[in-house]
Amino acid sequence: MGGTGDGPSADDPTRVLVDATASAGLVPDLEGDPDRPLADRLKEAAERSFGAKLGRYNLLRLLGEGGMGVVFAAYDEELDRKVAIKLLRAPKDDSDWDSSWLISEARAMARLSHPNIVQVYDVGAVEGQPFLAMEFIVGASLREWFKAERRDWRAVVEVCVQAGRGLLAAHEAGLVHCDFKPPNVLVGKDGRVRVLDFGLARLHEHTKGGAGDAESSQRTTHLAGTPGYMAPELYVRGEPDARSDQFAFCVSLYEGLYGERPFRG
């Protein structure tokens, strides 16, 4: 993830494209009311000191927070490297949320190694909330890169082509991003572009019903993605696929070239 940190490793992160084994039974080393959301407890612990811990990961500092989750810079004691930990929040309006599909998709991502995709090292769940341990990247989002200075169109195209190569590799492996946009693309200080957060826009797509009960299980699909980048078919509950990712890619490229999206609203 973008940003700098004060952890045991330097800010030039170690990038080891191995170790996609999921950790078993991570238990947070935290004090406080266990009924409070895990993300909130971890945030407070990380803000108090650099001593907050999640299993084998020492949480160094908060990198960012959004409606879907919280991201920490962390240090992996076992493999001696800096990582980014994304802890995903369950939907507030859905106590029956089933995150098993997300764990499965993240594990598929962990098996996918490509220079233009953020590497997922580790996948698991804590107190029912999925987490991903990912490659830590020093840099900025593509949106920040667009805004930092006036860019020659050739530079914009070159950077976006790198992101497109990451999308293509994921599509060839059967993965769909579902929320491609400039904030979900990182431009590293090394000049390499990585796409992150594959499939996380489908956090609210879940299965209700008892295990093994085919009659009572039903798929409930919510809009997946960010409105300004969503393909038209997604507004009528179309299933996201490689083509909807390509639409979002084209909107992002247009934004980089012209400073605005091609559609208003």
Side-chain angles (χ1 to χ4, degrees):
M1 308 297 294
T4 58
D6 304 308
S9 300
D11 273 335
D12 180 16
T14 302
R15 299 188 183 96
V16 183
L17 302 185
V18 293
D19 181 43
T21 306
S23 292
L26 286 182
V27 178
D29 181 16
L30 296 170
E31 297 178 355
D33 183 1
D35 293 329
R36 294 181 59 224
L38 175 64
D40 293 342
R41 285 183 281 145
L42 286 171
K43 279 170 49 187
E44 289 181 5
E47 289 167 357
R48 285 197 304 268
S49 71
F50 290 110
K53 198 169 182 182
L54 184 67
R56 76 185 200 220
Y57 301 104
N58 289 311
L59 303 185
L60 305 176
R61 64 188 178 90
L62 183 68
L63 288 177
E65 182 178 7
M68 293 178 58
V70 182
V71 183
F72 298 93
Y75 174 65
D76 183 345
E77 294 179 331
E78 201 169 291
L79 296 176
D80 188 26
R81 64 183 173 193
K82 196 170 185 177
V83 298
I85 299 286
K86 174 168 289 229
L87 185 68
L88 301 172
R89 288 192 177 102
K92 293 180 180 179
D93 59 348
D94 192 353
S95 58
D96 297 325
W97 180 52
D98 176 13
S99 64
S100 60
W101 71 269
L102 178 60
I103 299 296
S104 175
E105 185 158 347
R107 285 176 177 158
M109 277 188 62
R111 292 192 294 270
L112 180 62
S113 176
H114 188 275
N116 298 123
I117 295 177
V118 169
Q119 182 69 28
V120 174
Y121 297 133
D122 193 12
V123 184
V126 181
E127 298 183 11
Q129 293 181 268
F131 77 91
L132 298 91
M134 302 177 291
E135 176 184 14
F136 183 92
I137 298 167
V138 180
S141 74
L142 183 58
R143 173 162 292 165
E144 293 167 336
W145 187 85
F146 285 157
K147 293 181 176 181
E149 60 182 84
R150 187 173 180 84
R151 307 284 182 182
D152 178 79
W153 70 266
R154 296 173 184 83
V156 172
V157 170
E158 180 182 350
V159 163
C160 288
V161 164
Q162 288 191 57
R165 289 178 181 140
L167 273 181
L168 176 61
H171 293 161
E172 289 176 343
L175 294 171
V176 179
H177 192 288
C178 303
D179 194 20
F180 184 89
K181 57 185 176 180
N184 282 339
V185 179
L186 296 178
V187 183
K189 284 189 176 179
D190 57 1
R192 184 147 56 96
V193 177
R194 285 93 151 174
V195 183
L196 71 154
D197 284 0
F198 278 85
L200 299 191
R202 299 174 71 182
L203 184 64
H204 285 11
E205 184 176 328
H206 56 278
T207 302
K208 288 183 176 179
D213 185 353
E215 293 298 323
S216 63
S217 258
Q218 59 179 357
R219 198 71 169 172
T220 305
T221 304
H222 302 256
L223 287 179
T226 300
Y229 303 88
M230 286 168 56
E233 64 271 16
L234 299 182
Y235 286 97
V236 290
R237 299 297 197 269
E239 184 70 17
D241 60 20
R243 293 167 298 180
S244 51
D245 277 354
Q246 290 163 10
F247 182 94
F249 172 84
C250 291
V251 173
S252 301
L253 175 58
Y254 187 102
E255 182 177 346
L257 292 171
Y258 296 101
E260 61 182 7
R261 292 191 294 269
F263 310 107
R264 296 191 180 276

